[in-house]
Amino acid sequence: MAKTLKHCVWGAAFSGMCLVVSSAACVELVTRPEVEVSRAHALPALARSRSIESPLAPRIDLIAPDVAGAVRSPLMIVVRFAATAPAKIDPESFRAYYGALRINITDRIKKNAQVLESGISVEGATLPSGSHRLVLVIADSTGRVAEKDIRFTVE
Protein backbone atom coordinates (compact mmCIF):
# COMPACT_ATOMS: atom_id res chain seq x y z
CA MET A 1 0.00 0.00 0.00
CA ALA A 2 2.82 2.41 0.80
CA LYS A 3 4.12 2.22 -2.76
CA THR A 4 0.65 2.72 -4.26
CA LEU A 5 -0.12 5.63 -1.92
CA LYS A 6 3.29 7.21 -2.60
CA HIS A 7 2.67 7.10 -6.36
CA CYS A 8 -0.86 8.39 -5.89
CA VAL A 9 0.25 11.35 -3.77
CA TRP A 10 3.07 12.13 -6.22
CA GLY A 11 0.67 12.01 -9.18
CA ALA A 12 -1.90 14.12 -7.37
CA ALA A 13 0.61 16.86 -6.69
CA PHE A 14 1.07 17.39 -10.40
CA SER A 15 -2.23 16.40 -11.96
CA GLY A 16 -5.12 17.26 -9.67
CA MET A 17 -7.14 15.06 -7.34
CA CYS A 18 -6.64 11.38 -6.79
CA LEU A 19 -8.50 8.83 -4.66
CA VAL A 20 -7.12 5.62 -3.25
CA VAL A 21 -10.04 3.27 -2.67
CA SER A 22 -8.03 0.12 -2.10
CA SER A 23 -4.40 -0.78 -1.60
CA ALA A 24 -4.01 -1.36 -5.36
CA ALA A 25 -6.05 1.44 -6.91
CA CYS A 26 -5.53 5.13 -7.49
CA VAL A 27 -8.21 7.21 -9.19
CA GLU A 28 -7.44 10.60 -10.66
CA LEU A 29 -10.65 12.58 -10.13
CA VAL A 30 -9.66 15.77 -11.91
CA THR A 31 -6.62 16.88 -13.86
CA ARG A 32 -4.58 19.97 -12.99
CA PRO A 33 -5.95 21.79 -16.10
CA GLU A 34 -9.52 20.97 -14.99
CA VAL A 35 -8.81 22.40 -11.52
CA GLU A 36 -7.30 25.57 -12.96
CA VAL A 37 -10.11 26.15 -15.49
CA SER A 38 -12.75 25.55 -12.83
CA ARG A 39 -11.10 28.00 -10.44
CA ALA A 40 -10.84 30.62 -13.20
CA HIS A 41 -14.60 30.38 -13.83
CA ALA A 42 -15.74 30.35 -10.20
CA LEU A 43 -18.32 33.02 -9.43
CA PRO A 44 -18.34 35.13 -6.28
CA ALA A 45 -20.48 33.62 -3.50
CA LEU A 46 -23.22 36.24 -3.89
CA ALA A 47 -23.71 35.49 -7.59
CA ARG A 48 -24.58 31.82 -7.07
CA SER A 49 -28.16 30.73 -7.47
CA ARG A 50 -29.75 27.96 -5.42
CA SER A 51 -32.79 25.86 -6.12
CA ILE A 52 -35.21 24.78 -3.43
CA GLU A 53 -35.50 21.03 -2.96
CA SER A 54 -38.61 19.21 -1.89
CA PRO A 55 -38.66 18.55 1.88
CA LEU A 56 -39.24 14.90 0.93
CA ALA A 57 -36.13 14.74 -1.27
CA PRO A 58 -33.35 12.38 -0.21
CA ARG A 59 -30.69 13.60 2.19
CA ILE A 60 -26.98 13.65 1.45
CA ASP A 61 -24.88 13.93 4.62
CA LEU A 62 -21.13 14.44 4.63
CA ILE A 63 -19.86 12.36 7.56
CA ALA A 64 -16.15 12.87 6.94
CA PRO A 65 -14.03 14.90 6.64
CA ASP A 66 -15.01 17.80 8.86
CA VAL A 67 -14.85 20.67 6.36
CA ALA A 68 -15.44 23.42 8.95
CA GLY A 69 -11.71 24.08 8.72
CA ALA A 70 -8.91 23.15 6.37
CA VAL A 71 -8.29 19.44 5.86
CA ARG A 72 -5.08 17.56 5.18
CA SER A 73 -4.48 15.15 2.37
CA PRO A 74 -4.82 12.18 2.20
CA LEU A 75 -8.26 12.04 3.78
CA MET A 76 -11.27 9.76 4.08
CA ILE A 77 -14.52 10.85 2.43
CA VAL A 78 -17.69 9.31 3.85
CA VAL A 79 -21.13 10.31 2.52
CA ARG A 80 -24.44 8.86 3.73
CA PHE A 81 -27.73 8.90 1.79
CA ALA A 82 -31.22 8.73 3.32
CA ALA A 83 -34.61 8.61 1.62
CA THR A 84 -38.04 9.46 2.99
CA ALA A 85 -40.02 6.23 3.40
CA PRO A 86 -41.39 4.44 1.51
CA ALA A 87 -38.95 5.69 -1.17
CA LYS A 88 -35.49 4.15 -1.47
CA ILE A 89 -32.21 5.61 -2.69
CA ASP A 90 -31.43 4.78 -6.33
CA PRO A 91 -27.63 4.19 -6.35
CA GLU A 92 -27.58 4.30 -10.17
CA SER A 93 -28.70 7.94 -10.03
CA PHE A 94 -25.52 9.04 -8.21
CA ARG A 95 -23.58 11.82 -9.93
CA ALA A 96 -20.49 13.73 -8.82
CA TYR A 97 -19.28 16.99 -10.29
CA TYR A 98 -16.16 19.03 -9.68
CA GLY A 99 -15.76 22.77 -9.53
CA ALA A 100 -17.57 25.77 -10.94
CA LEU A 101 -17.90 24.14 -14.36
CA ARG A 102 -19.43 21.01 -12.84
CA ILE A 103 -17.02 18.62 -14.54
CA ASN A 104 -18.65 15.19 -14.40
CA ILE A 105 -16.34 12.92 -12.37
CA THR A 106 -18.94 10.22 -11.68
CA ASP A 107 -17.31 7.50 -13.79
CA ARG A 108 -13.91 8.23 -12.26
CA ILE A 109 -15.36 7.52 -8.81
CA LYS A 110 -17.56 4.56 -9.80
CA LYS A 111 -14.61 2.70 -11.37
CA ASN A 112 -13.20 2.05 -7.90
CA ALA A 113 -15.84 2.89 -5.31
CA GLN A 114 -19.20 1.20 -4.87
CA VAL A 115 -22.24 3.45 -4.52
CA LEU A 116 -24.76 1.85 -2.15
CA GLU A 117 -28.23 2.85 -0.96
CA SER A 118 -26.59 3.83 2.31
CA GLY A 119 -23.87 6.00 0.75
CA ILE A 120 -20.30 5.92 -0.47
CA SER A 121 -16.99 5.71 1.36
CA VAL A 122 -13.58 6.48 -0.07
CA GLU A 123 -10.35 6.20 1.88
CA GLY A 124 -6.99 7.73 1.08
CA ALA A 125 -8.28 10.62 -1.04
CA THR A 126 -5.43 12.88 -2.05
CA LEU A 127 -6.01 16.39 -3.30
CA PRO A 128 -3.70 19.27 -4.12
CA SER A 129 -3.67 22.21 -1.72
CA GLY A 130 -6.22 24.92 -2.30
CA SER A 131 -10.00 25.32 -2.52
CA HIS A 132 -12.22 22.58 -3.90
CA ARG A 133 -15.90 22.14 -4.67
CA LEU A 134 -17.72 18.85 -5.12
CA VAL A 135 -21.40 18.63 -6.01
CA LEU A 136 -23.03 15.28 -5.23
CA VAL A 137 -26.45 14.34 -6.62
CA ILE A 138 -28.70 11.40 -5.73
CA ALA A 139 -32.34 10.52 -6.49
CA ASP A 140 -34.84 8.24 -4.79
CA SER A 141 -37.20 5.66 -6.26
CA THR A 142 -39.93 8.30 -6.70
CA GLY A 143 -37.66 10.54 -8.78
CA ARG A 144 -37.02 13.17 -6.12
CA VAL A 145 -33.50 14.57 -6.44
CA ALA A 146 -31.11 15.97 -3.84
CA GLU A 147 -27.92 17.92 -4.44
CA LYS A 148 -25.14 18.58 -1.93
CA ASP A 149 -22.56 21.29 -2.55
CA ILE A 150 -19.38 20.53 -0.59
CA ARG A 151 -16.67 23.16 -0.40
CA PHE A 152 -13.43 22.69 1.44
CA THR A 153 -9.81 23.75 1.56
CA VAL A 154 -6.84 21.42 1.57
CA GLU A 155 -3.73 22.70 3.42
Side-chain angles (χ1 to χ4, degrees):
M1 165 113 171
K3 184 175 180 183
T4 301
L5 184 57
K6 180 179 176 184
H7 291 320
C8 184
V9 172
W10 176 257
F14 290 98
S15 63
M17 296 192 335
C18 180
L19 293 179
V20 176
V21 289
S22 72
S23 61
C26 179
V27 179
E28 183 177 42
L29 289 187
V30 294
T31 64
R32 173 61 65 188
E34 288 171 328
V35 170
E36 291 171 1
V37 168
S38 182
R39 286 182 183 160
H41 289 85
L43 298 174
L46 295 176
R48 292 188 183 99
S49 63
R50 302 291 296 162
S51 61
I52 298 174
E53 294 177 356
S54 163
L56 299 176
R59 244 186 23 253
I60 302 172
D61 297 317
L62 179 66
I63 306 303
D66 179 0
V67 295
V71 299
R72 293 182 189 249
S73 182
L75 55 110
M76 174 172 259
I77 299 172
V78 179
V79 177
R80 294 290 175 244
F81 306 134
T84 303
K88 295 184 184 244
I89 294 294
D90 175 9
E92 290 300 312
S93 71
F94 173 78
R95 298 290 178 267
Y97 302 97
Y98 179 80
L101 298 179
R102 293 177 63 111
I103 299 165
N104 190 335
I105 59 170
T106 306
D107 290 341
R108 300 176 199 185
I109 293 174
K110 282 185 169 183
K111 282 182 183 176
N112 292 287
Q114 188 175 11
V115 181
L116 305 171
E117 272 189 56
S118 59
I120 186 168
S121 180
V122 183
E123 59 183 81
T126 61
L127 302 101
S129 61
S131 318
H132 299 280
R133 177 185 183 200
L134 293 176
V135 178
L136 306 179
V137 180
I138 196 75
D140 66 18
S141 56
T142 67
R144 294 181 294 232
V145 178
E147 184 176 292
K148 178 81 168 187
D149 189 319
I150 302 168
R151 295 166 193 249
F152 56 98
T153 301
V154 174
E155 295 182 329

